[in-house]
Amino acid sequence: MGALKRLVENQAQKVTLRLTDNIVNLNRSLSGTGDIEVVSGKTVTNTLAAGAGTITKVGAGTFQLAVTNGTGTNWNANAGVLEVTLAGGAAPLGT
């Protein structure tokens, strides 16, 4: 989880977090600049809002983001699936 810690805490360095297993709830607030790679055939779900920064979804797998209070992060999907669910009353995502 060292890459995850850097992605969360170090906004000055771009890192790639490579996830190779299904994860029901990553349970991390993500911020900074970096890539999240989910490998083919795997699904990772995260229910915590993300902070400021730009995160790019790469890899052929699926990253599910359940947003309850909006997100301050710019998300890019360069490969695979980035699935966003807005829970009741959540602020809409930016453009």
Side-chain angles (χ1 to χ4, degrees):
M1 289 294 216
L4 176 60
K5 185 174 182 181
R6 284 192 304 275
L7 183 61
V8 171
E9 295 176 352
N10 187 353
Q11 295 185 26
Q13 176 185 5
K14 182 178 176 182
V15 298
T16 297
L17 172 61
R18 186 168 196 257
L19 302 165
T20 59
D21 246 334
N22 292 315
I23 300 175
V24 175
N25 188 0
L26 186 60
N27 198 29
R28 296 289 186 260
S29 179
L30 304 173
S31 64
T33 299
D35 297 340
I36 293 180
E37 177 184 359
V38 181
V39 299
S40 180
K42 302 300 179 184
T43 299
V44 174
T45 302
N46 193 36
T47 58
L48 291 179
T54 299
I55 299 177
T56 301
K57 161 60 183 74
V58 297
T62 299
F63 190 80
Q64 298 173 327
L65 178 64
V67 178
T68 56
N69 293 313
T71 179
T73 302
N74 296 313
W75 285 90
N76 298 312
N78 288 0
V81 176
L82 174 61
E83 182 180 306
V84 179
T85 304
L86 297 176
L93 295 172
T95 57

